[in-house]
Amino acid sequence: MSDQPSAGRGFPDLRTLGGSWTSNGIEDGSRYLLSTAELGSSLGAFARGNMADHVDDDPAAVATNRAALQRELGATRGLAFIQAVHGSSVANVVESGSYPGVDALITTKPGLGLVALGADCAVIGLHAPTADGGPIVGVAHCGWRGLVEDVIGAVVQEMRDAGGLDVSAVLGPAICGRCYRVDPERRRAVRHACSPGVADAALGAGVGVEAVDDDAMPGLDVHAGAQQRLIELGVSVNAVAGCTFESASWFSYRRASLDPETEGRTGRHALAVVIGSDFEGDGRGR
């Protein structure tokens, strides 16, 4: 994978972070983009870079933002979007469109962009070379339920079952434990379902502390839990720092839900991956 991404305006009406992946030290045409809330065409509660079409934003603004993302990513065959349900289902796709009922997508189709949307949940892009040289890419959406259902383990296994070797990932920002206070039942669900390492990372110093009131409730760090799960699976992780609640660069459902003017209405940023057109001639994914 390339070095840590840097902010920029690779396309005039969208601000993104991005990078490329390598196979055996050689760039194989695979790349990722992480959009931000900065710039874009959406207005009001969705300003500005909203990529979601299910949040009651102006459809024309969403279409404009998605078109900018597709062009900057270089997704010549369009974009495939996760319609997340906070589960662990994975779809292997070859066409653009929206895929309901799944929280992860993988493909070997060159030019097809895969997109995960987030607004506090972690968004994850994945890449793996194969023995015959053609890459596999994937995306996943993971909140606290995703940790419990192990969507990360599911998508990594799907990539390996499809021939992927040396899986690497870019982990987008998510809400941190300081900002995401949860009830005892949610903490117990994470502790029961996840490995000790993932539970410790996600629950931190709050493990075992019973809440007295909302302010005393320990936090759940989605980003830390997701990163630890990737590490446990032997995945090389490039983690984008930052809390979605604390930084206006990202959309945050929790931040919006505390704002009386928006009452939870907010947009979604995107993490998108694609296999470059250099592999279009080898027949993979056709």
Side-chain angles (χ1 to χ4, degrees):
M1 189 186 298
S2 66
D3 293 335
Q4 287 281 345
S6 58
R9 288 185 63 182
F11 199 79
D13 51 6
L14 199 68
R15 185 174 292 277
T16 62
L17 312 176
S20 59
W21 276 289
T22 62
S23 297
N24 298 319
I26 301 172
E27 290 195 5
D28 62 15
S30 303
R31 64 191 308 256
Y32 64 88
L33 286 179
L34 177 62
S35 72
T36 74
E38 302 167 4
L39 302 184
S41 298
S42 295
L43 300 174
F46 311 106
R48 298 192 50 97
N50 173 46
M51 295 291 170
D53 63 0
H54 66 285
V55 295
D56 202 29
D57 190 8
D58 175 15
V62 177
T64 298
N65 290 340
R66 288 184 170 190
L69 179 69
Q70 180 178 337
R71 288 192 297 270
E72 187 171 352
L73 184 66
T76 57
R77 287 193 168 101
L79 301 174
F81 288 84
I82 292 171
Q83 287 188 357
V85 292
H86 301 278
S88 60
S89 295
V90 183
N92 190 336
V93 301
V94 295
E95 295 180 349
S96 61
S98 293
Y99 288 84
V102 302
D103 281 80
L105 300 172
I106 67 170
T107 194
T108 57
K109 187 78 167 180
L112 176 62
L114 307 183
V115 187
L117 303 176
D120 286 333
C121 291
V123 285
I124 305 166
L126 302 114
H127 167 273
T130 64
D132 64 5
I136 299 171
V137 294
V139 289
H141 162 273
C142 181
W144 78 269
R145 291 187 183 90
L147 292 176
V148 168
E149 298 292 332
D150 195 22
V151 65
I152 296 174
V155 68
V156 170
Q157 188 60 53
E158 286 283 344
M159 293 183 72
R160 288 172 172 161
D161 288 346
L165 308 169
D166 299 322
V167 181
S168 59
V170 57
L171 172 62
I175 195 166
C176 76
R178 292 187 304 273
C179 301
Y180 188 33
R181 302 294 177 172
V182 300
D183 56 42
E185 289 75 17
R186 195 165 298 186
R187 296 199 310 276
R188 284 194 286 267
V190 171
R191 173 61 65 188
H192 175 75
C194 299
S195 72
V198 171
D200 286 347
L203 300 176
V207 175
V209 178
E210 292 300 321
V212 177
D213 54 43
D214 288 346
D215 290 336
M217 293 170 74
L220 197 162
D221 194 321
V222 173
H223 191 273
Q227 183 169 0
Q228 180 59 32
R229 182 58 178 140
L230 287 163
I231 291 170
E232 286 184 353
L233 291 164
V235 175
S236 172
V237 185
N238 183 358
V240 178
C243 170
T244 50
F245 184 94
E246 295 173 347
S247 174
S249 293
W250 316 108
F251 291 106
S252 169
Y253 177 79
R254 174 151 290 206
R255 185 175 66 236
S257 69
L258 298 177
D259 184 343
E261 294 186 2
T262 59
E263 297 181 335
R265 297 170 71 245
T266 190
R268 303 291 188 271
H269 48 263
L271 198 155
V273 301
V274 73
I275 299 170
S277 59
D278 290 348
F279 282 87
E280 296 213 30
D282 68 1
R284 290 180 57 82
R286 295 182 182 274

